[in-house]
Amino acid sequence: MLDRALLTDGQGRPIRQSGPTSSRDWDEVQAFCRKVYMPYRVRPGAPRLLPAATMRMAQIGRITLTRFSYGVPIHLDRFDPEAGNILVLNTLRGALRHQQDGTRTATTRAGDSFVVDCSRTDYWLDGDRDHLQLNLTIPHDAMAEIAMRWLGFVPDDRLWTRRLAFGGNGSRWQALLAYVVHALEASGRVRGAAPMARHLEELVCMDLLQIWAEGAGICLRDGARMAAPRHVREAEEIMTSEALDPPSMAEIAARIGVSVRTLSEGFRRFRGMTPREFLRARRLDGLRAALQGAGPGDSVTSVAADWGYVNLGALAQVYRDRFGETPARTLAAGRVGR
């Protein structure tokens, strides 16, 4: 089923895409790659070799799905960490050779996959002339947010710095990719924060987290959370219990006996986010609970004001990004359910 991914819809009709779907021009191909992956360096296998690229894409919430090949042998390196992206390279045809650990490499062929967090570790790969990929570009922040929502913590760099080959024909990951592709073909491109997009995004990220953690020897059930030092866990408890009227970061740091810098470094290392980002997520969680339990006379404006939100336009955007619906919809659903 993946052989035809992003080529035809559920009725077998060709899927249209704005912009070129193939190219023989290096600048055009690189512009596409910067858009869907990140800036990096590409070197063809021979001088003056022109690409014969396949360039197709679809959006699944915050995840970019691409059907891509250069059509020539290539070496890729210098992936930009500032882009903040995780790559999942799923080989449909041909082969890729990936940087793994130390001097070891891993080769993926049809049915195999490879994941690397380019925001946390360096990476290079070689592709043969016949390579064809169905790739996922996932923002690190999206993975961290979903981990926090479902697991209650963000794994530390033992996970994010691990480059991992996985999957294979008949694997659960291949089955999930087939489901995602089928959903795209059946309903057209999934965009934005629509319910189906959020559903697919969370399925992909949670399954990838489980597979990645298993490969890294990390127990997501309890091991990663306890790996965080005491001051990080104590700060989390303060920000969670006092999210309605939170103290400043300086006050939190003073209460647990560390500097603001130490607190920030602990969150970045063990939670993959800043303390302010953690607090922002807990406040949105609290607002959502308040909307779900609001009384007959309450409105989005009044509940949001209780939580200190005054710019409802900005709130609606970040709320939709996190929960896949508007605050008004949460309020209405809460009333229907009572």
Side-chain angles (χ1 to χ4, degrees), residues 292-312:
Q292 290 171 331
D298 291 325
S299 64
V300 170
T301 300
S302 64
V303 175
D306 289 341
W307 280 83
Y309 294 102
V310 293
N311 186 337
L312 295 184

Side-chain angles (χ1 to χ4, degrees), residues 235-252:
E236 289 176 332
E237 292 172 1
I238 291 171
M239 286 187 276
T240 299
S241 62
E242 301 178 29
L244 179 61
D245 186 19
S248 68
M249 291 303 149
E251 291 170 335
I252 293 171

Side-chain angles (χ1 to χ4, degrees), residues 280-324:
R280 187 179 304 122
R282 300 290 73 73
R283 283 178 51 75
L284 285 171
D285 289 343
L287 172 63
R288 181 175 177 80
L291 289 168
Q292 290 171 331
D298 291 325
S299 64
V300 170
T301 300
S302 64
V303 175
D306 289 341
W307 280 83
Y309 294 102
V310 293
N311 186 337
L312 295 184
L315 171 63
Q317 183 60 54
V318 297
Y319 191 95
R320 186 184 297 111
D321 288 344
R322 181 165 176 77
F323 300 115

Side-chain angles (χ1 to χ4, degrees), residues 60-107:
I60 310 166
R62 291 167 289 183
I63 299 174
T64 304
L65 176 66
T66 49
R67 182 188 183 92
F68 181 76
S69 70
Y70 280 99
V72 294
I74 43 83
H75 175 83
L76 310 181
D77 60 9
R78 299 184 184 177
F79 288 81
D80 183 9
E82 297 302 318
N85 287 332
I86 294 166
L87 293 181
V88 188
L89 301 109
N90 308 287
T91 302
L92 300 180
R93 187 180 67 217
L96 297 183
R97 185 169 68 96
H98 311 263
Q99 178 188 11
Q100 199 164 33
D101 300 316
T103 59
R104 292 195 309 134
T105 63
T107 298

Side-chain angles (χ1 to χ4, degrees), residues 127-145:
D128 68 11
R129 183 189 63 184
D130 298 322
H131 72 273
L132 176 64
Q133 303 295 124
L134 186 67
N135 296 331
L136 301 175
T137 307
I138 308 174
H140 175 95
D141 289 348
M143 286 281 282
E145 177 203 303

